[in-house]
Amino acid sequence: MELVERYWGLDILRTTAGHLVVVDPIDSPADRQEAVELLAANGVLDALFFPDVEHARHAIDGFLAERFTGRRG
């Protein structure tokens, strides 16, 4: 995967298939696999991919807002 941008400590990567994904660089391969399996089991695997960098940034902002304030952004 190719690093497109690091945003708030998370990596926005382009997969070899051209999709954009966001990952925490400190996560292990097992952590990433667990996240993918969780999304797939809940029928929302498409939530892993972003159409562009702006959408990926927005998702990161929402995640951080929820994590630090307990609110959905």
Side-chain angles (χ1 to χ4, degrees):
M1 286 194 268
E2 170 192 356
L3 178 65
V4 174
E5 178 175 302
R6 182 159 287 140
Y7 186 72
W8 290 108
L10 298 173
D11 291 346
I12 301 173
L13 304 172
R14 186 170 310 280
T15 69
T16 54
H19 302 102
L20 289 176
V21 296
V22 175
V23 299
D24 188 334
I26 64 171
D27 282 351
S28 70
D31 293 332
R32 293 177 185 180
Q33 180 178 343
E34 182 179 335
V36 170
E37 289 173 356
L38 179 65
L39 292 171
N42 287 287
V44 291
L45 189 58
D46 58 335
L48 182 62
F49 304 105
F50 300 94
D52 56 44
V53 172
E54 288 301 317
H55 280 87
R57 288 182 193 144
H58 182 73
I60 293 169
D61 289 341
F63 167 77
L64 293 174
E66 182 177 337
R67 185 171 183 177
F68 292 118
T69 67
R71 298 179 306 185
R72 291 195 176 253

